[in-house]
Amino acid sequence: MTAVQTALMLTLSTHFALSKSRLSSLVALITGLAQSRTVNLSHLASHLPGRALPASHYRRLQRFFQFVRLDGDRLAVLVVQMLNLQRPKCLALDRTNWKIGSTDVNILMLAIVTRRFRVPLLWTLLPHQGCSDIGQRIALMRRYLALFDASSISMLVADREFIGAEWMDFLSENNIKFVIRAKIDMTMTLEDGRAWSFQSLLRRKRGRRNPAIGWGHLSGTFAPARHPVNFAAKRLKDNEWLIVVTNRDDPRQALNDYRKRWAIECLLEDTRIRSHDKLSCLLVVVTLAMVWAYRCATKTMGRKAIRRKTHGRREKSWFRIGLDALRNWISNAPENAADAWLHNAPNQPQARPKI
């Protein structure tokens, strides 16, 4: 057994109840995913150790996804521990939808967004195409709150799909600060009791240099929201209004906070797996590979910042630096790859981190 395999099995064996054979397959999947940069099982099978025929390796992976179910909630705790994210953090809510043949794959995902990291944390595979409903969003947030305290969330950011009076009341009642983009046709009930759409409120505002701000109760399906929200709006370069609603005190700052949102760059679209249980298992594998890459980036860069190019953007993302290092180390310096994974890695599962 190589140093890399030993390192991963040491940590993962204490967090996932798997036989030695299944655990070995999980480790091979994580390392293979990093090396091949694909979730296609045919490509991943070529990275399995041993002299068996490719068809046998492929069948081994098929059996893994057929019989193994990895606990996504336990993964969330492991991600926070591995990336040392105990301090309050920004969460981003997003959804992605694509088709495999005639089958819709629709994932509602909660991710951690920091200055360096963008990593999936919890998700739900929706049984339909299109937008999530309020009940599904609340259920996902309840899963988070069962694992972590509400004080662990510095802010939740989300796009226009995730608007709604009942949903934002739930967040406010659970002490979760949020910044969510609003649709221009949504209605606010102001202090004087009159209801206005954002389109009417902003009709005479230029909003390019000085954002328009205000507060009120967002109109819901059956009644206005119980908790008031602030809003801020500014015109973008294409003349479209960017409107955000927030329960934070400074609505102007919320416009900057909204920039921290994260759109899912789904890594599963190269798979042919359709089963929700199997896809969820694959997402756990992808997330573990991402965590490993981020740890390699930290080992490579330390406290240094990534150099900016003349246009102002970073030369590379933190993830790309880590992935490049990880792929190189697995092949040429396995002790570095193993050390990046093991450094301060939790060898005992922790049920509920104290934030």
Side-chain angles (χ1 to χ4, degrees), residues 39-82:
V39 293
N40 186 287
L41 296 189
S42 297
H43 294 291
L44 291 174
S46 65
H47 293 278
L48 264 63
R51 298 182 179 181
L53 294 173
S56 297
H57 283 318
Y58 181 71
R59 181 62 188 138
R60 177 183 168 187
L61 294 185
Q62 285 183 315
R63 287 195 298 271
F64 180 89
F65 287 105
Q66 182 178 357
F67 297 111
V68 173
R69 297 295 175 262
L70 298 175
D71 189 337
D73 290 358
R74 189 172 291 276
L75 170 79
V77 175
L78 181 59
V79 166
V80 169
Q81 292 176 307
M82 292 282 283

Short mmCIF file of all heavy atoms in Angstrom, two decimals, residues 39-82:
data_model
loop_
_atom_site.label_atom_id
_atom_site.label_comp_id
_atom_site.label_asym_id
_atom_site.label_seq_id
_atom_site.Cartn_x
_atom_site.Cartn_y
_atom_site.Cartn_z
N VAL A 39 -15.29 12.54 -13.78
CA VAL A 39 -16.05 11.59 -12.98
C VAL A 39 -16.54 10.42 -13.82
O VAL A 39 -17.33 9.61 -13.35
CB VAL A 39 -17.26 12.29 -12.31
CG1 VAL A 39 -16.81 13.29 -11.27
CG2 VAL A 39 -18.17 12.95 -13.35
N ASN A 40 -16.06 10.33 -15.04
CA ASN A 40 -16.43 9.22 -15.91
C ASN A 40 -15.77 7.94 -15.39
O ASN A 40 -14.55 7.86 -15.26
CB ASN A 40 -15.97 9.51 -17.34
CG ASN A 40 -16.44 8.46 -18.32
OD1 ASN A 40 -15.92 7.35 -18.33
ND2 ASN A 40 -17.40 8.82 -19.15
N LEU A 41 -16.59 6.93 -15.09
CA LEU A 41 -16.07 5.72 -14.46
C LEU A 41 -15.09 4.97 -15.35
O LEU A 41 -14.17 4.31 -14.85
CB LEU A 41 -17.22 4.79 -14.06
CG LEU A 41 -18.20 5.32 -13.00
CD1 LEU A 41 -19.15 4.21 -12.56
CD2 LEU A 41 -17.46 5.89 -11.80
N SER A 42 -15.26 5.04 -16.65
CA SER A 42 -14.32 4.36 -17.56
C SER A 42 -12.91 4.91 -17.40
O SER A 42 -11.92 4.16 -17.40
CB SER A 42 -14.78 4.51 -19.01
OG SER A 42 -16.01 3.89 -19.21
N HIS A 43 -12.80 6.24 -17.26
CA HIS A 43 -11.49 6.85 -17.07
C HIS A 43 -10.97 6.59 -15.65
O HIS A 43 -9.78 6.32 -15.46
CB HIS A 43 -11.57 8.36 -17.31
CG HIS A 43 -11.87 8.73 -18.73
ND1 HIS A 43 -10.97 8.52 -19.77
CD2 HIS A 43 -12.96 9.29 -19.29
CE1 HIS A 43 -11.50 8.94 -20.90
NE2 HIS A 43 -12.71 9.41 -20.64
N LEU A 44 -11.85 6.66 -14.66
CA LEU A 44 -11.42 6.44 -13.28
C LEU A 44 -10.94 5.01 -13.07
O LEU A 44 -10.04 4.76 -12.28
CB LEU A 44 -12.58 6.74 -12.33
CG LEU A 44 -12.99 8.21 -12.20
CD1 LEU A 44 -14.23 8.34 -11.32
CD2 LEU A 44 -11.86 9.04 -11.61
N ALA A 45 -11.52 4.05 -13.79
CA ALA A 45 -11.15 2.64 -13.62
C ALA A 45 -9.68 2.40 -13.94
O ALA A 45 -9.04 1.53 -13.35
CB ALA A 45 -12.03 1.77 -14.49
N SER A 46 -9.13 3.20 -14.85
CA SER A 46 -7.72 3.01 -15.24
C SER A 46 -6.76 3.41 -14.13
O SER A 46 -5.57 3.09 -14.20
CB SER A 46 -7.41 3.83 -16.50
OG SER A 46 -7.52 5.21 -16.25
N HIS A 47 -7.24 4.08 -13.10
CA HIS A 47 -6.38 4.50 -11.99
C HIS A 47 -6.47 3.56 -10.79
O HIS A 47 -5.79 3.80 -9.79
CB HIS A 47 -6.76 5.93 -11.55
CG HIS A 47 -6.46 6.96 -12.58
ND1 HIS A 47 -5.20 7.52 -12.76
CD2 HIS A 47 -7.25 7.55 -13.52
CE1 HIS A 47 -5.23 8.40 -13.74
NE2 HIS A 47 -6.46 8.43 -14.22
N LEU A 48 -7.26 2.51 -10.88
CA LEU A 48 -7.33 1.56 -9.78
C LEU A 48 -6.07 0.72 -9.73
O LEU A 48 -5.54 0.32 -10.78
CB LEU A 48 -8.56 0.65 -9.92
CG LEU A 48 -9.80 1.08 -9.13
CD1 LEU A 48 -10.32 2.42 -9.62
CD2 LEU A 48 -10.88 0.02 -9.21
N PRO A 49 -5.55 0.44 -8.53
CA PRO A 49 -4.33 -0.37 -8.44
C PRO A 49 -4.62 -1.84 -8.75
O PRO A 49 -5.76 -2.30 -8.66
CB PRO A 49 -3.93 -0.19 -6.97
CG PRO A 49 -5.21 0.09 -6.26
CD PRO A 49 -6.06 0.87 -7.23
N GLY A 50 -3.59 -2.55 -9.10
CA GLY A 50 -3.74 -3.98 -9.37
C GLY A 50 -3.61 -4.30 -10.85
O GLY A 50 -3.63 -3.41 -11.71
N ARG A 51 -3.49 -5.60 -11.15
CA ARG A 51 -3.26 -6.05 -12.52
C ARG A 51 -4.52 -6.58 -13.19
O ARG A 51 -4.44 -7.19 -14.27
CB ARG A 51 -2.19 -7.15 -12.53
CG ARG A 51 -0.83 -6.65 -12.01
CD ARG A 51 0.20 -7.75 -12.08
NE ARG A 51 1.51 -7.30 -11.62
CZ ARG A 51 2.60 -8.07 -11.59
NH1 ARG A 51 2.52 -9.34 -11.99
NH2 ARG A 51 3.75 -7.58 -11.15
N ALA A 52 -5.65 -6.34 -12.59
CA ALA A 52 -6.91 -6.83 -13.19
C ALA A 52 -7.17 -6.12 -14.52
O ALA A 52 -6.64 -5.03 -14.79
CB ALA A 52 -8.07 -6.59 -12.22
N LEU A 53 -7.99 -6.74 -15.35
CA LEU A 53 -8.35 -6.15 -16.63
C LEU A 53 -9.16 -4.88 -16.41
O LEU A 53 -9.86 -4.74 -15.40
CB LEU A 53 -9.15 -7.15 -17.46
CG LEU A 53 -8.42 -8.42 -17.91
CD1 LEU A 53 -9.40 -9.38 -18.57
CD2 LEU A 53 -7.28 -8.05 -18.87
N PRO A 54 -9.08 -3.91 -17.35
CA PRO A 54 -9.87 -2.68 -17.21
C PRO A 54 -11.35 -2.94 -16.97
O PRO A 54 -12.00 -2.23 -16.20
CB PRO A 54 -9.63 -1.97 -18.55
CG PRO A 54 -8.28 -2.45 -18.98
CD PRO A 54 -8.19 -3.87 -18.53
N ALA A 55 -11.89 -3.96 -17.63
CA ALA A 55 -13.31 -4.28 -17.45
C ALA A 55 -13.61 -4.68 -16.01
O ALA A 55 -14.68 -4.37 -15.46
CB ALA A 55 -13.72 -5.39 -18.41
N SER A 56 -12.65 -5.37 -15.37
CA SER A 56 -12.84 -5.78 -13.98
C SER A 56 -12.79 -4.57 -13.05
O SER A 56 -13.58 -4.47 -12.09
CB SER A 56 -11.75 -6.78 -13.58
OG SER A 56 -11.84 -7.96 -14.35
N HIS A 57 -11.86 -3.65 -13.32
CA HIS A 57 -11.79 -2.42 -12.53
C HIS A 57 -13.09 -1.61 -12.68
O HIS A 57 -13.61 -1.07 -11.70
CB HIS A 57 -10.60 -1.57 -12.98
CG HIS A 57 -9.29 -2.09 -12.48
ND1 HIS A 57 -9.10 -2.56 -11.21
CD2 HIS A 57 -8.07 -2.16 -13.10
CE1 HIS A 57 -7.84 -2.92 -11.05
NE2 HIS A 57 -7.19 -2.70 -12.19
N TYR A 58 -13.58 -1.54 -13.90
CA TYR A 58 -14.82 -0.79 -14.15
C TYR A 58 -15.98 -1.42 -13.39
O TYR A 58 -16.80 -0.71 -12.78
CB TYR A 58 -15.10 -0.77 -15.65
CG TYR A 58 -16.34 0.00 -16.04
CD1 TYR A 58 -16.38 1.39 -15.95
CD2 TYR A 58 -17.48 -0.66 -16.49
CE1 TYR A 58 -17.51 2.10 -16.30
CE2 TYR A 58 -18.63 0.04 -16.84
CZ TYR A 58 -18.64 1.42 -16.75
OH TYR A 58 -19.76 2.12 -17.09
N ARG A 59 -16.06 -2.73 -13.40
CA ARG A 59 -17.14 -3.41 -12.69
C ARG A 59 -17.02 -3.19 -11.18
O ARG A 59 -18.02 -3.06 -10.48
CB ARG A 59 -17.11 -4.91 -13.03
CG ARG A 59 -18.21 -5.70 -12.36
CD ARG A 59 -19.58 -5.24 -12.81
NE ARG A 59 -20.64 -5.87 -12.03
CZ ARG A 59 -21.71 -5.24 -11.58
NH1 ARG A 59 -21.88 -3.96 -11.83
NH2 ARG A 59 -22.61 -5.90 -10.90
N ARG A 60 -15.77 -3.12 -10.69
CA ARG A 60 -15.55 -2.86 -9.26
C ARG A 60 -16.12 -1.50 -8.87
O ARG A 60 -16.76 -1.37 -7.82
CB ARG A 60 -14.05 -2.92 -8.96
CG ARG A 60 -13.69 -2.60 -7.52
CD ARG A 60 -12.18 -2.62 -7.35
NE ARG A 60 -11.78 -2.07 -6.07
CZ ARG A 60 -10.50 -1.86 -5.74
NH1 ARG A 60 -9.52 -2.17 -6.59
NH2 ARG A 60 -10.20 -1.34 -4.55
N LEU A 61 -15.93 -0.49 -9.72
CA LEU A 61 -16.48 0.84 -9.43
C LEU A 61 -18.00 0.83 -9.51
O LEU A 61 -18.68 1.49 -8.72
CB LEU A 61 -15.90 1.87 -10.39
CG LEU A 61 -14.39 2.14 -10.28
CD1 LEU A 61 -13.99 3.27 -11.21
CD2 LEU A 61 -14.01 2.48 -8.84
N GLN A 62 -18.54 0.11 -10.46
CA GLN A 62 -19.99 0.00 -10.56
C GLN A 62 -20.59 -0.61 -9.29
O GLN A 62 -21.62 -0.14 -8.79
CB GLN A 62 -20.38 -0.84 -11.78
CG GLN A 62 -20.22 -0.14 -13.12
CD GLN A 62 -20.69 -1.00 -14.26
OE1 GLN A 62 -20.39 -2.19 -14.33
NE2 GLN A 62 -21.44 -0.41 -15.18
N ARG A 63 -19.94 -1.64 -8.78
CA ARG A 63 -20.43 -2.28 -7.56
C ARG A 63 -20.32 -1.32 -6.36
O ARG A 63 -21.18 -1.33 -5.47
CB ARG A 63 -19.65 -3.56 -7.27
CG ARG A 63 -19.97 -4.71 -8.20
CD ARG A 63 -19.47 -6.03 -7.65
NE ARG A 63 -18.02 -6.04 -7.50
CZ ARG A 63 -17.17 -6.42 -8.44
NH1 ARG A 63 -17.63 -6.84 -9.61
NH2 ARG A 63 -15.87 -6.41 -8.23
N PHE A 64 -19.27 -0.50 -6.35
CA PHE A 64 -19.12 0.48 -5.27
C PHE A 64 -20.33 1.40 -5.22
O PHE A 64 -20.94 1.59 -4.16
CB PHE A 64 -17.84 1.29 -5.48
CG PHE A 64 -17.59 2.33 -4.41
CD1 PHE A 64 -16.88 2.00 -3.27
CD2 PHE A 64 -18.07 3.62 -4.55
CE1 PHE A 64 -16.66 2.95 -2.27
CE2 PHE A 64 -17.85 4.58 -3.57
CZ PHE A 64 -17.14 4.24 -2.43
N PHE A 65 -20.70 1.96 -6.35
CA PHE A 65 -21.83 2.90 -6.37
C PHE A 65 -23.17 2.18 -6.23
O PHE A 65 -24.16 2.78 -5.83
CB PHE A 65 -21.80 3.75 -7.64
CG PHE A 65 -20.72 4.79 -7.62
CD1 PHE A 65 -19.57 4.63 -8.37
CD2 PHE A 65 -20.84 5.92 -6.83
CE1 PHE A 65 -18.56 5.58 -8.34
CE2 PHE A 65 -19.85 6.87 -6.79
CZ PHE A 65 -18.70 6.71 -7.54
N GLN A 66 -23.18 0.90 -6.54
CA GLN A 66 -24.41 0.13 -6.38
C GLN A 66 -24.72 -0.16 -4.92
O GLN A 66 -25.88 -0.11 -4.49
CB GLN A 66 -24.31 -1.19 -7.16
CG GLN A 66 -25.57 -2.04 -7.10
CD GLN A 66 -25.43 -3.32 -7.93
OE1 GLN A 66 -24.40 -3.54 -8.58
NE2 GLN A 66 -26.45 -4.16 -7.90
N PHE A 67 -23.68 -0.41 -4.11
CA PHE A 67 -23.91 -0.89 -2.76
C PHE A 67 -23.50 0.10 -1.65
O PHE A 67 -23.93 -0.06 -0.51
CB PHE A 67 -23.15 -2.21 -2.53
CG PHE A 67 -23.62 -3.32 -3.41
CD1 PHE A 67 -22.82 -3.82 -4.43
CD2 PHE A 67 -24.88 -3.88 -3.25
CE1 PHE A 67 -23.25 -4.85 -5.25
CE2 PHE A 67 -25.33 -4.91 -4.07
CZ PHE A 67 -24.51 -5.40 -5.07
N VAL A 68 -22.69 1.10 -1.97
CA VAL A 68 -22.17 2.00 -0.93
C VAL A 68 -23.00 3.28 -0.87
O VAL A 68 -23.33 3.86 -1.91
CB VAL A 68 -20.68 2.35 -1.19
CG1 VAL A 68 -20.20 3.42 -0.22
CG2 VAL A 68 -19.83 1.09 -1.06
N ARG A 69 -23.33 3.71 0.35
CA ARG A 69 -23.99 4.99 0.58
C ARG A 69 -23.14 5.78 1.58
O ARG A 69 -22.97 5.35 2.73
CB ARG A 69 -25.41 4.79 1.12
CG ARG A 69 -26.34 4.07 0.16
CD ARG A 69 -26.60 4.87 -1.10
NE ARG A 69 -27.39 4.13 -2.08
CZ ARG A 69 -26.87 3.49 -3.11
NH1 ARG A 69 -25.55 3.48 -3.31
NH2 ARG A 69 -27.65 2.85 -3.97
N LEU A 70 -22.58 6.89 1.15
CA LEU A 70 -21.73 7.71 2.00
C LEU A 70 -22.57 8.81 2.65
O LEU A 70 -23.35 9.48 1.97
CB LEU A 70 -20.59 8.32 1.18
CG LEU A 70 -19.64 7.31 0.54
CD1 LEU A 70 -18.61 8.04 -0.34
CD2 LEU A 70 -18.93 6.47 1.58
N ASP A 71 -22.39 9.00 3.93
CA ASP A 71 -23.19 9.94 4.72
C ASP A 71 -22.77 11.37 4.41
O ASP A 71 -21.68 11.81 4.78
CB ASP A 71 -23.00 9.63 6.21
CG ASP A 71 -23.95 10.42 7.10
OD1 ASP A 71 -24.44 11.47 6.67
OD2 ASP A 71 -24.19 9.98 8.23
N GLY A 72 -23.66 12.13 3.73
CA GLY A 72 -23.33 13.51 3.37
C GLY A 72 -23.21 14.43 4.57
O GLY A 72 -22.42 15.38 4.56
N ASP A 73 -24.00 14.18 5.64
CA ASP A 73 -23.90 15.02 6.83
C ASP A 73 -22.56 14.81 7.53
O ASP A 73 -21.95 15.76 8.02
CB ASP A 73 -25.04 14.70 7.80
CG ASP A 73 -26.40 15.17 7.27
OD1 ASP A 73 -26.43 15.76 6.17
OD2 ASP A 73 -27.41 14.94 7.94
N ARG A 74 -22.10 13.57 7.58
CA ARG A 74 -20.78 13.31 8.17
C ARG A 74 -19.69 13.96 7.34
O ARG A 74 -18.69 14.46 7.87
CB ARG A 74 -20.56 11.80 8.28
CG ARG A 74 -19.33 11.41 9.08
CD ARG A 74 -19.28 9.91 9.31
NE ARG A 74 -20.32 9.49 10.22
CZ ARG A 74 -20.21 9.52 11.55
NH1 ARG A 74 -19.10 9.98 12.09
NH2 ARG A 74 -21.19 9.10 12.31
N LEU A 75 -19.87 13.98 6.02
CA LEU A 75 -18.91 14.66 5.15
C LEU A 75 -18.83 16.14 5.49
O LEU A 75 -17.75 16.72 5.54
CB LEU A 75 -19.30 14.49 3.68
CG LEU A 75 -18.49 15.37 2.71
CD1 LEU A 75 -17.13 14.76 2.45
CD2 LEU A 75 -19.24 15.59 1.41
N ALA A 76 -19.98 16.80 5.72
CA ALA A 76 -20.00 18.23 6.02
C ALA A 76 -19.15 18.54 7.23
O ALA A 76 -18.39 19.52 7.25
CB ALA A 76 -21.44 18.70 6.23
N VAL A 77 -19.27 17.74 8.27
CA VAL A 77 -18.46 17.93 9.48
C VAL A 77 -16.98 17.76 9.16
O VAL A 77 -16.13 18.54 9.61
CB VAL A 77 -18.90 16.95 10.59
CG1 VAL A 77 -17.99 17.06 11.80
CG2 VAL A 77 -20.34 17.22 10.99
N LEU A 78 -16.65 16.75 8.35
CA LEU A 78 -15.27 16.49 7.98
C LEU A 78 -14.69 17.64 7.16
O LEU A 78 -13.53 18.04 7.37
CB LEU A 78 -15.18 15.18 7.19
CG LEU A 78 -13.78 14.74 6.74
CD1 LEU A 78 -12.85 14.57 7.92
CD2 LEU A 78 -13.87 13.44 5.93
N VAL A 79 -15.47 18.20 6.23
CA VAL A 79 -15.00 19.32 5.41
C VAL A 79 -14.63 20.52 6.28
O VAL A 79 -13.56 21.13 6.12
CB VAL A 79 -16.09 19.73 4.39
CG1 VAL A 79 -15.76 21.09 3.77
CG2 VAL A 79 -16.22 18.68 3.29
N VAL A 80 -15.49 20.86 7.24
CA VAL A 80 -15.22 21.99 8.12
C VAL A 80 -13.96 21.75 8.93
O VAL A 80 -13.13 22.66 9.13
CB VAL A 80 -16.43 22.25 9.04
CG1 VAL A 80 -16.09 23.26 10.14
CG2 VAL A 80 -17.61 22.76 8.22
N GLN A 81 -13.76 20.52 9.39
CA GLN A 81 -12.57 20.20 10.18
C GLN A 81 -11.31 20.22 9.31
O GLN A 81 -10.28 20.79 9.70
CB GLN A 81 -12.73 18.83 10.83
CG GLN A 81 -13.79 18.78 11.92
CD GLN A 81 -13.97 17.38 12.47
OE1 GLN A 81 -14.19 16.42 11.73
NE2 GLN A 81 -13.90 17.25 13.78
N MET A 82 -11.38 19.60 8.14
CA MET A 82 -10.20 19.49 7.28
C MET A 82 -9.71 20.84 6.78
O MET A 82 -8.51 21.07 6.62
CB MET A 82 -10.50 18.58 6.09
CG MET A 82 -10.73 17.12 6.43
SD MET A 82 -9.21 16.20 6.75
CE MET A 82 -8.58 15.94 5.09
#
